[in-house]
């Protein structure tokens, strides 16, 4: 029964913005529940069980976490992954910033002629971006070929200047540098983002700095860096999450009969083995939760540390 | 005014840097146009030499070498494409099926969710947006073991479903990108649509979607490339070889034959990369703007 002054529940629901909003975001809420939230909860439960995939999980308390503590391979992949992140992230950030600075001249966009505009820079930006489009498997095969000890392009080029190149993928000491080089090749996304950020720095700020007598280095340090610092923070967080997750490249580069097994072993390679080769879902889930907490912890730490370093524009 | 000397110095350095980034790809393509022995010879040259009397004719001119590259290239690509043990045509078909289903679902559902997070004011919207942002930080490998179990319970392991059904529920990154775009559209549009008697669905479909075609194209493009290139999810969820995608098939090709010559491996790699490259060159502007939007406005 509906009275004329009071609309029915149906009408009220239809008119309520909450009902409409929920309806529109329903795909995300359902998908998030089934493909994110549920798996995460399941994995928290599995991490407390012994779960050999074909049998039901059996509760074992914290046994998986304790076993990880004394698992040599676990600590090896933690060290390797941490080393990769620690070496690659600063190098990638530095190289991206240098390239982005070189790619962002202060020039008119529509002057006559090719060389008077920033079109040469735009072309170079495209060249730097293209490697990020190469499928990881194809990129890994290409780098295997470039790193080839006998007839690879890199060692051939080194021999021209009288150097004998190493067996990049087979000697323990060269696995990490090789992986870092492949990572540096793929910085294009970061460069594009930095270029866009640099283009948004207001020109008046540079003019004011010049009037104040600042040289190019101090202009960079006191104008450019503060202005793009939120973007740098975003990029460093993205790079960190990416470095912790590294999988396809080392999987293909090092998992072959001659590849470097120990130095080329990374966290998610072990996680993959634990889950799908040894079929220890419980153990793999414990590794997954540790990884998640480390990623969230690192992100939180970076956000916290950056409070004083990052400058947000007002308005 | 002509650019000053420092500009030219900077540009020379840039040209060298850009060349360094492209060199590996050039090497991939040229290797794929050579016969196996010449590819492995360690000689640095772009084009193969024609063979006369069983040995390379190093005196050959550029024309003859171009002809040889075309001939040898065709032979290499044909050898990869029609290798009976690896069936790239079937992998291509699977990849296109997954990509088509996944891209349509991802674009449509992300746009719908983004509409709910930007054009409707409601209590709880902020919390849902926060859940989208938090999700962006969760690495896929963290989910892969339990997702496998979920898909197994759903009976999807051994089919292509794990690779495209989740896309129909939206992706955090794409939702966020579109939401940022929609926040920038003037509110008067919705009011005008309301006066014209359009509800939310009508406003979305007739006003917001037409206005956001460039942003939707960016989402569709990025997701297509993501699906085309993805290796880990197919590796885990695909069990039958006839369901493999190109990326997974390429890895199979590399791993099963330790003795596959480099010219064929590079031909296979080029084959998988070239469609992405062509797509990029056709839609270059959208790409660069999309990446920039991710980082600067994000």
């Amino acid at each position: 029964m509906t009275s004329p002054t009071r609309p029915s529940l149906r009408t009220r629901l239809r008119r309520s913005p909450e009902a409409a909003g929920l309806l529109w975001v329903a795909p995300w809420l359902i998908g998030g529940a089934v493909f994110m939230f549920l798996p995460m909860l399941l994995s928290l439960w599995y991490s407390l069980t012994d779960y050999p995939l074909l049998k039901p999980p059996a509760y074992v308390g914290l046994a998986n976490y304790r076993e990880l503590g004394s698992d040599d391979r676990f600590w090896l992949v933690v060290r390797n992954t941490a080393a990769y992140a620690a070496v690659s992230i600063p190098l990638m950030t530095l190289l991206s910033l240098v390239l982005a600075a070189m790619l962002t001249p202060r020039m008119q966009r529509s002057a006559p002629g090719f060389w008077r505009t920033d079109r040469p820079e735009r072309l170079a930006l495209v060249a730097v971006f293209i490697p990020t489009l190469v499928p990881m498997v194809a990129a890994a095969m290409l780098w295997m070929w470039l790193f080839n000890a006998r007839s690879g392009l890199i060692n051939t080029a080194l021999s021209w200047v009288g150097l004998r190149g190493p067996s990049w993928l087979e000697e323990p000491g060269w696995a990490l540098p090789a992986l870092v080089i492949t990572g540096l090749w793929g910085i294009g996304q970061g460069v594009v983002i930095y270029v866009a950020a640099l283009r948004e720095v207001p020109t008046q700020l540079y003019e004011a700095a010049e009037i104040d007598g600042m040289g190019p280095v101090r202009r960079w340090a006191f104008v450019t860096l503060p202005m793009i610092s939120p973007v740098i923070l975003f990029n460093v967080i993205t790079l960190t999450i990416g470095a912790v997750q590294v999988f396809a490249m080392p999987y293909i580069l090092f998992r072959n009969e001659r590849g470097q097994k120990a130095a080329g072993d990374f966290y998610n390679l072990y996680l993959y083995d634990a889950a799908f080769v040894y079929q220890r879902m419980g153990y793999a889930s414990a590794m997954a939760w540790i990884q998640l907490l480390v990623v969230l912890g690192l992100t939180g730490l970076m956000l916290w540390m950056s409070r004083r370093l990052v400058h947000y524009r007002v308005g | 005014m002509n650019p000053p000397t420092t500009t030219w110095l900077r540009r020379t350095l840039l040209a060298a840097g850009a060349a360094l980034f492209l060199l590996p790809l050039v090497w991939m393509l040229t290797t794929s146009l050579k016969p196996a022995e010449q590819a492995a010879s360690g000689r640095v040259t772009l084009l193969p030499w024609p063979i006369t009397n069983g040995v390379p004719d190093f005196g050959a001119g550029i024309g003859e070498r171009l002809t040889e590259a075309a001939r040898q290239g065709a032979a290499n690509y044909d050898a990869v494409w029609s290798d009976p043990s690896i069936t790239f045509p079937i992998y291509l078909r699977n990849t296109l099926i997954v990509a088509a289903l996944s891209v349509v679902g991802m674009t449509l559902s992300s746009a719908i969710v983004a509409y709910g997070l930007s054009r409707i004011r409601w209590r709880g919207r902020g919390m849902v947006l926060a859940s989208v942002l938090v999700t962006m930080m969760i690495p896929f490998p963290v989910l892969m073991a339990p997702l496998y179990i979920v898909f197994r319970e759903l009976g999807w392991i051994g089919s292509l479903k794990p690779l495209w059904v989740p896309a129909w529920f939206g992706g955090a990154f794409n939702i966020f990108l579109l939401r940022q775009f929609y926040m920038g559209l003037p509110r008067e549009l919705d009011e005008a649509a309301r006066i014209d008697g359009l509800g939310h669905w009508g406003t979305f479909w007739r006003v917001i979607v037409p206005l956001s075609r460039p942003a939707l194209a960016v989402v569709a493009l990025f997701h297509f490339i993501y699906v085309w290139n993805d290796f880990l999810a197919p590796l885990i969820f695909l069990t039958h070889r006839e369901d493999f995608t190109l990326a997974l098939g390429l890895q199979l090709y590399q791993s099963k034959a330790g003795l596959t010559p480099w010219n064929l491996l590079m031909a296979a790699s080029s084959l998988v990369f070239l469609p992405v490259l062509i797509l990029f060159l056709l839609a270059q502007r959208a790409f660069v703007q999309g990446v920039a939007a991710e980082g600067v406005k994000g």
Side-chain angles (χ1 to χ4, degrees):
Chain A
M1 274 292 288
T2 55
S3 70
T5 48
R6 226 190 118 134
S8 70
L9 182 68
R10 229 189 104 146
T11 317
R12 268 186 295 147
L13 260 183
R14 210 165 44 190
R15 286 196 190 146
S16 113
E18 276 68 37
L22 272 177
L23 194 65
W24 280 81
V25 302
W28 167 254
L29 293 179
I30 296 168
V34 177
F35 302 119
M36 291 267 186
F37 193 64
L38 173 71
M40 296 219 352
L41 278 186
L42 279 177
S43 118
L44 187 60
W45 156 242
Y46 293 154
S47 79
L48 304 172
T49 67
D50 183 29
Y51 187 5
L53 199 55
L54 294 177
K55 287 185 215 144
Y59 181 74
V60 293
L62 292 173
N64 287 322
Y65 293 94
R66 267 198 299 274
E67 189 183 336
L68 279 172
S70 55
D71 180 342
D72 287 341
R73 186 173 169 202
F74 174 75
W75 290 110
L76 172 76
V77 295
V78 166
R79 273 199 310 276
N80 285 347
T81 309
Y84 173 65
V87 174
S88 70
I89 294 166
L91 284 177
M92 287 163 108
T93 305
L94 197 68
L95 184 63
S96 310
L97 281 171
V98 169
L99 277 171
M102 290 173 73
L103 285 163
T104 322
R106 278 191 279 154
M107 237 184 265
Q108 301 149 301
R109 281 202 196 158
S110 52
F114 180 76
W115 297 106
R116 290 184 199 180
T117 61
D118 64 353
R119 260 142 70 201
E121 279 80 7
R122 279 164 194 267
L123 267 181
L125 181 61
V126 167
V128 171
F129 182 74
I130 282 178
T132 65
L133 299 167
V134 183
M136 205 50 110
V137 181
M141 279 165 62
L142 170 58
W143 280 103
M144 269 177 98
W145 172 221
L146 294 166
F147 281 132
N148 187 284
R150 212 166 38 82
S151 39
L153 187 61
I154 293 175
N155 281 1
T156 309
L158 287 175
S159 74
W160 292 340
V161 290
L163 292 172
R164 226 184 124 258
S167 302
W168 292 88
L169 307 177
E170 292 149 37
E171 290 172 33
W174 289 101
L176 184 68
L179 192 63
V180 170
I181 290 172
T182 66
L184 286 174
W185 188 55
I187 57 171
Q189 291 222 352
V191 177
V192 169
I193 291 172
Y194 284 136
V195 165
L198 288 173
R199 284 194 185 133
E200 295 212 338
V201 178
T203 340
Q204 305 94 286
L205 289 180
Y206 290 114
E207 284 156 10
E210 258 169 89
I211 292 168
D212 286 350
M214 284 194 191
V217 175
R218 288 177 64 212
R219 278 207 299 271
W220 241 86
F222 296 119
V223 178
T224 310
L225 275 182
M227 289 307 287
I228 65 168
S229 53
V231 179
I232 298 179
L233 177 68
F234 169 85
N235 260 322
V236 170
I237 291 176
T238 312
L239 286 177
T240 309
I241 297 175
V244 171
Q245 287 191 60
V246 63
F247 179 82
M249 188 58 89
Y251 182 90
I252 291 159
L253 284 186
F254 304 115
R255 288 229 166 168
N256 44 65
E257 60 275 27
R258 304 177 64 194
Q260 178 46 240
K261 294 287 177 304
D265 204 5
F266 291 87
Y267 199 88
N268 281 332
L269 294 181
Y270 190 19
L271 176 51
Y272 171 82
D273 281 349
F276 301 106
V277 179
Y278 312 136
Q279 308 207 331
R280 298 185 64 193
M281 285 299 182
Y283 204 58
S285 298
M287 287 188 72
W289 265 88
I290 292 174
Q291 183 180 22
L292 179 65
L293 293 179
V294 166
V295 165
L296 293 180
L298 283 175
T299 309
L301 188 71
M302 280 187 277
L303 287 173
W304 181 76
M305 287 200 314
S306 65
R307 279 180 316 169
R308 275 157 196 287
L309 291 172
V310 172
H311 166 91
Y312 291 98
R313 259 192 282 182
V314 182
Chain B
M1 200 183 82
N2 278 317
T5 326
T6 48
T7 299
W8 289 109
L9 198 68
R10 182 175 52 76
R11 281 181 171 170
T12 312
L13 277 172
L14 261 184
L20 218 53
F21 273 86
L22 289 183
L23 186 64
L25 293 173
V26 173
W27 197 237
M28 175 165 96
L29 287 174
T30 60
T31 303
S32 76
L33 302 177
K34 294 173 185 173
E37 318 76 56
Q38 288 187 36
S41 71
R43 266 172 186 274
V44 178
T45 175
L46 290 181
L47 295 170
W49 284 283
I51 310 283
T52 33
N53 307 325
V55 287
D57 173 14
F58 292 120
I62 186 88
E64 290 168 84
R65 294 180 66 189
L66 276 171
T67 318
E68 173 66 7
R71 193 196 62 75
Q72 186 65 48
N76 288 349
Y77 283 89
D78 184 55
V80 169
W81 187 248
S82 49
D83 187 324
S85 67
I86 208 80
T87 62
F88 276 111
I90 290 174
Y91 302 155
L92 174 65
R93 189 202 62 193
N94 295 337
T95 309
L96 289 176
I97 291 173
V98 171
L101 290 169
S102 183
V103 166
V104 172
M106 176 59 78
T107 314
L108 186 66
S109 56
S110 297
I112 288 174
V113 176
Y115 182 92
L117 289 176
S118 57
R119 311 302 292 184
I120 309 172
R121 280 182 212 276
W122 53 288
R123 268 173 292 149
R125 178 171 107 165
M127 266 170 62
V128 176
L129 182 65
S131 80
V132 171
L133 293 176
V134 169
T135 306
M136 289 204 285
M137 285 192 302
I138 299 174
F140 173 75
V142 167
L143 295 169
M144 67 187 183
L147 263 181
Y148 181 87
I149 308 282
V150 170
F151 291 147
R152 195 182 62 172
E153 295 306 312
L154 290 168
W156 292 358
I157 298 297
S159 77
L160 293 173
K161 284 189 192 120
L163 300 184
W164 64 265
V165 176
W168 284 80
F169 297 89
F173 225 94
N174 301 318
I175 292 171
F176 186 64
L177 194 86
L178 290 174
R179 184 253 178 199
Q180 297 302 87
F181 189 85
Y182 292 168
M183 289 298 276
L185 298 175
R187 291 215 66 87
E188 290 80 40
L189 288 172
D190 307 39
E191 282 151 27
R194 198 119 318 151
I195 291 165
D196 288 347
L198 292 177
H200 282 306
W201 186 249
T203 312
F204 172 70
W205 211 235
R206 302 226 208 130
V207 180
I208 303 294
V209 166
L211 279 174
S212 60
R213 262 195 215 122
L216 293 173
V218 166
V219 167
L221 264 174
F222 279 17
H223 192 65
F224 177 83
I225 305 248
Y226 174 82
V227 172
W228 185 274
N229 291 356
D230 191 17
F231 171 64
L232 185 50
L235 176 71
I236 294 163
F237 300 132
L238 300 182
T239 44
H240 307 303
R241 202 179 270 192
E242 59 271 25
D243 287 337
F244 277 16
T245 58
L246 275 175
L248 195 54
L250 187 60
Q251 192 265 332
L252 181 70
Y253 188 57
Q254 175 257 327
S255 67
K256 71 186 274 282
L259 295 170
T260 307
W262 286 110
N263 59 339
L264 295 189
L265 287 177
M266 289 303 106
S269 298
S270 306
L271 215 52
V272 178
F273 171 52
L274 281 176
V276 184
L277 181 67
I278 291 167
L279 195 64
F280 167 74
L281 294 175
L282 290 177
Q284 213 195 90
R285 194 169 294 244
F287 264 96
V288 173
Q289 279 169 358
V291 175
E294 253 166 46
V296 176
K297 308 205 169 69

